[in-house]
Amino acid sequence: MARAGRRPGPTETREEILAAARRLFAEQGYDGATIRGIAAEAGVNAALLHHYFGTKQQLFVAAMNLPVNPAEELPRLLATPDEQTGERVVRLFLSVWGDARARAPFLALLRSIADNEQAATMIREFLTSAVLSRIAEDRSVPPLRAAAAAAQLVGLVMLRYVLEIPPLATATDDEIVALVAPAIQYYLSP
Amino acid sequence: MARAGRRPGPTETREEILAAARRLFAEQGYDGATIRGIAAEAGVNAALLHHYFGTKQQLFVAAMNLPVNPAEELPRLLATPDEQTGERVVRLFLSVWGDARARAPFLALLRSIADNEQAATMIREFLTSAVLSRIAEDRSVPPLRAAAAAAQLVGLVMLRYVLEIPPLATATDDEIVALVAPAIQYYLSP
């Protein structure tokens, strides 16, 4: 909350909203938390929050410090399905994770998943409601196929960037795309 | 170390060896730690350690409490490659992870990977030296293909058992085998 005797500036307000969002997403999950509730927690009105951050999904991405919004990027990428879809998806993942600075927030998320059930719930709900169900619907594939593609990409990131397993850690993006894109293409084909 | 004035019994000795192994694998990595060094740390001779636990790889599996030894099970499974290889590998993974009690040590490992660099090093070296390089050699596939198959399986386990993403968490083993086995088969085919 703002200190007494002084109106908070826009930066302070943004930070308060983000902190309130992190608290409520953790406590209530992604599905349970609402823009209205987060606004109340931050002591601002919902219209102001919407003005600063847009939708709940966009607020979540900002609160978690994600360098890209998977709920927007992936459906955009999958909008025009063809035989290069697998390749485009793998390239997007590698370009986002290839940047060590951008990687930090994802690693923080990963740690929180392993450490506490609340964080796991929050991320499960975000992935399910905001990402996988949209992909499955847009591509007319069963949700299980979208989830299996996600599993391949999550595992790739774990082994290449977290565990740094050779030769995944030392392979070029092109080598990985050539190898993994066909599997993603297989999962995302109806 | 044993307390003064009393000879340690076999159970105590085993526990001391396992504790010493956990310390040295964490401090020196899987590749760096030696049977001789662990025996010295536990205050026993190397022959006794070997008698109790076998090879370094078997000692590691015992020290980490793993319900199966992937360095033995996977090469055995891949010894007779055919068009059912992908299916056999996926079934082995699901049967091991499907048992909630057996899952606990893996989850502990996963947490330690996310939390500290030493644990990540130890596990990276075990996977690389004891598991992936053997599979790549036995199957005559490039190590990158073995690692990509491992990425698929690690991601599957993360999303099905840790994050519990629907519909991966609720699908039957048969549904998952039908979907994922072709990807594993693709990676493990020369």
Side-chain angles (χ1 to χ4, degrees), chain A residues 13-97:
Chain A
T13 304
R14 279 181 65 95
E15 286 309 314
E16 275 162 18
I17 293 171
L18 291 174
R22 280 188 286 269
R23 277 196 303 278
L24 262 63
F25 282 130
E27 285 170 25
Q28 306 178 348
Y30 176 78
D31 291 341
T34 61
I35 288 282
R36 184 178 298 272
I38 292 168
E41 173 85 3
V44 302
N45 69 53
L48 181 72
L49 192 158
H50 186 74
H51 167 73
Y52 277 134
F53 294 103
T55 63
K56 176 162 92 168
Q57 170 243 100
Q58 291 166 325
L59 174 61
F60 182 86
V61 169
M64 298 300 138
N65 244 319
L66 302 185
V68 296
N69 184 339
E72 288 173 355
E73 289 294 314
L74 284 170
R76 194 181 55 73
L77 212 64
L78 298 171
T80 52
D82 57 32
E83 67 277 13
Q84 260 80 52
T85 300
E87 178 171 340
R88 287 201 305 273
V89 171
V90 178
R91 278 206 194 282
L92 172 68
F93 259 75
L94 294 178
S95 72
V96 171
W97 282 85

Side-chain angles (χ1 to χ4, degrees), chain B residues 66-137:
Chain B
L66 303 184
V68 296
N69 184 340
E72 289 173 354
E73 289 294 314
L74 283 170
R76 194 181 54 74
L77 212 65
L78 297 171
T80 51
D82 56 33
E83 66 277 14
Q84 259 81 55
T85 299
E87 177 171 340
R88 286 201 307 272
V89 171
V90 178
R91 280 207 192 280
L92 171 67
F93 259 74
L94 294 177
S95 72
V96 171
W97 282 85
D99 176 348
R101 265 177 324 164
R103 208 145 69 212
F106 286 116
L107 293 178
L109 272 191
L110 196 67
R111 258 187 290 278
S112 66
I113 291 171
D115 281 343
N116 80 75
E117 182 51 39
Q118 277 189 332
T121 300
M122 172 183 87
I123 292 158
R124 170 172 57 248
E125 291 177 355
F126 174 71
L127 273 179
T128 306
S129 304
V131 184
L132 295 175
S133 61
R134 269 196 67 183
I135 291 172
E137 200 176 316

